[in-house]
Amino acid sequence: MLNPSVAGRLKEAQALGHYTVILSSSPSFLVKNIAKRFGVNEWGATEYSVTKDQTVGTVSKQMDGDDKARYVAELM
């Protein structure tokens, strides 16, 4: 489930003191835990609404390629 090459490059960037970010179109409740596990500085992901009975509803904010590009541009 984890690409060792990608994880290694992330750890290398962190060791060099780089600002690290994970941006994903996956659901935020998944990406949040991955970001926490890897200790990145920031993360962004697709947001879902939650229904009255606390189940996952519809997509409320999609993190697509354009959103990722804007996110990075704003960080810079």
Side-chain angles (χ1 to χ4, degrees):
M1 290 180 56
L2 178 65
N3 183 320
S5 175
V6 173
R9 291 186 71 184
L10 174 61
K11 289 190 181 291
E12 181 180 321
Q14 289 171 319
L16 292 170
H18 295 287
Y19 195 84
T20 55
V21 180
I22 293 175
L23 300 176
S24 176
S25 58
S26 296
S28 61
F29 58 86
L30 297 175
V31 178
K32 177 182 178 180
N33 290 326
I34 292 167
K36 185 176 178 180
R37 175 180 175 195
F38 286 102
V40 297
N41 299 98
E42 285 191 51
W43 61 274
T46 296
E47 297 289 337
Y48 287 80
S49 64
V50 178
T51 64
K52 291 177 192 175
D53 60 351
Q54 297 300 305
T55 59
V56 176
T58 60
V59 173
S60 58
K61 181 186 135 206
Q62 173 72 37
M63 176 65 77
D64 63 17
D66 291 337
D67 293 322
K68 293 173 187 179
R70 274 191 295 277
Y71 196 107
V72 171
E74 289 176 15
L75 281 175
M76 294 171 46

